[in-house]
């Protein structure tokens, strides 16, 4: 099998020696080409060329969730086609690795490589659904390029935390869970919309009596394509426990976050399980949505797969089932 290994040399949990061991192990079973990323978006460009060239059958990501996201966007540049596009394999090398762990892979890069080789020898794979975030027609964001995501997106508070973490990393801070928790506290103290939400979630009208109309007044919206939503160390965190790679998208919205309710929701997230996520009179949970749009009265932070994309006032989301084939 002809394969491309895309290596992010800045991945936080792998060394040059580990990367060499992994590439050597993969080359024993694959006709392997190794490419090291050199700039933001390079993994996307490499994956797109691999998909358009027609010779590569497998693209392997060695990096974190950001590297996986870039590769997915490169593979699906012309749209999903799980039977024709190269398959995707993931070796986790970042600080959290949500996508790889949600697939059931070990969080250790060397162990995950062994599991990948076993799956390749057994011919084991699965198709996964993905989310697509696009600019909303008729708004100032309609020209924003569409972006595929593998496990989550967010508008509002959640994305503000992601942006703060990225700022700290650009200043040289290591990506740790303590850093993330500190930025949660700072975002809470500085968020001007936490008591009066500006986001409206709009569902397409189906023409049935079950139409629920828009959901208004959200201060944050977390869109999940799978569960868990994230990890704190080895602890999985479930924002939308029913979310799955086999369904469309789930949404957790929060309308108000006082000091008391914020503390309660944080505790619920830390105690969340595959059966139970956050709940309360200021939360809204929606399951298996194929199409919906988020509008905000004020520009809010926006993120996909942990990558902060700046401020948005709107975004349209599509849940696409069976979008990509993954080796597991």
């Amino acid at each position: 099998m002809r394969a491309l290994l895309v290596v992010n040399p800045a991945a936080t949990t792998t060394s040059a020696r580990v990367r060499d061991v992994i590439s050597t192990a993969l080359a024993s079973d694959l006709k392997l080409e190794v490419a090291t990323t050199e700039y933001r978006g390079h993994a996307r460009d490499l994956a797109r060329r691999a998909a358009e060239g027609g010779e590569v059958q497998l693209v392997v990501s060695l990096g974190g969730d950001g590297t996986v996201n870039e590769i997915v966007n490169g593979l699906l540049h012309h749209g999903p086609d799980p039977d024709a596009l190269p398959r995707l394999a993931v070796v986790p090398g970042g600080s959290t690795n949500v996508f790889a762990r949600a697939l059931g892979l070990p969080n250790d890069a060397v162990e995950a490589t062994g599991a990948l080789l076993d799956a390749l020898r057994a011919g084991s794979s699965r198709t996964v659904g993905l989310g697509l975030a696009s600019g909303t027609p008729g708004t100032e964001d309609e020209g924003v390029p569409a972006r595929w995501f593998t496990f989550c997106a967010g508008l509002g508070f959640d994305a503000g935390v992601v942006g703060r973490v990225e700022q700290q990393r650009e200043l040289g801070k290591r990506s740790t869970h303590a850093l993330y928790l500190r930025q949660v506290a700072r975002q809470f103290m500085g968020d001007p919309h936490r008591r009066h939400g500006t986001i409206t979630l709009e569902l397409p009208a189906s023409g049935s009596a079950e139409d629920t109309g828009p959901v208004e007044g959200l201060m944050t919206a977390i869109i999940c394509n799978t569960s868990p939503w994230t990890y704190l160390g080895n602890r999985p965190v479930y924002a939308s426990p029913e979310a799955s790679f086999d369904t469309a998208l789930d949404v957790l919205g929060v309308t108000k976050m006082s000091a008391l309710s914020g503390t309660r929701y944080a505790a619920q997230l830390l105690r969340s399980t595959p059966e139970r996520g956050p709940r309360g009179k200021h939360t809204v949970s929606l399951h298996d949505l194929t199409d919906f749009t988020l509008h905000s009265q004020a520009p809010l932070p926006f993120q996909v797969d942990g990558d902060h994309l700046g401020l948005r006032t709107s975004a349209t989301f599509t849940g696409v089932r069976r979008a990509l084939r993954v080796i597991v």
Side-chain angles (χ1 to χ4, degrees), residues 7 26 51 96 156 166 198 215 218-219 229 231-232 235 237 241 245 249 252 275-276 318 324:
V7 178
L26 293 175
T96 310
E166 285 193 8
T198 66
V215 180
L218 302 177
M219 54 80 62
W229 164 51
Y231 290 82
L232 286 175
R235 179 190 293 273
V237 179
F245 288 130
L249 302 174
L252 172 67
E275 293 76 35
R276 189 162 189 173
T318 307
L324 187 65

Side-chain angles (χ1 to χ4, degrees), residues 71-158:
I71 290 173
V72 166
N73 276 275
L75 290 175
L76 274 65
H77 180 77
H78 298 291
D81 190 346
D83 295 324
L85 288 173
R87 285 166 282 180
L88 172 68
V90 181
V91 177
S95 58
T96 310
N97 308 305
V98 178
F99 181 66
R101 295 162 85 176
L103 288 169
L105 294 170
N107 198 37
D108 176 80
V110 174
E111 289 185 17
T113 302
L116 168 58
L117 290 170
D118 288 343
L120 286 168
R121 291 163 186 158
S124 175
S125 66
R126 63 171 293 187
T127 54
V128 297
L130 298 172
L132 180 66
S134 309
T136 304
T139 72
E140 61 185 46
D141 294 320
E142 71 174 316
V144 175
R147 181 79 170 258
W148 293 94
F149 58 95
T150 63
F151 64 92
C152 82
L155 181 68
F157 183 89
D158 159 58

Side-chain angles (χ1 to χ4, degrees), residues 151-237:
F151 64 92
C152 82
L155 181 68
F157 183 89
D158 159 58
V161 174
V162 170
R164 288 176 180 270
V165 170
E166 285 193 8
Q167 288 177 347
Q168 293 299 308
R169 293 190 65 181
E170 290 171 359
L171 294 173
K173 302 288 182 64
R174 291 187 67 249
S175 179
T176 64
H177 301 296
L179 173 66
Y180 182 85
L181 291 174
R182 285 196 299 272
Q183 302 318 308
V184 170
R186 289 173 180 169
Q187 180 66 24
F188 178 83
M189 296 302 296
D191 194 320
H193 306 294
R194 62 184 176 88
R195 291 185 179 273
H196 303 284
T198 66
I199 303 170
T200 297
L201 186 152
E202 293 184 353
L203 297 168
S206 66
S208 73
E210 298 178 356
D211 284 345
T212 59
V215 180
E216 300 179 338
L218 302 177
M219 54 80 62
T220 192
I222 298 171
I223 300 93
C224 293
N225 185 52
T226 189
S227 193
W229 164 51
T230 190
Y231 290 82
L232 286 175
N234 291 321
R235 179 190 293 273
V237 179

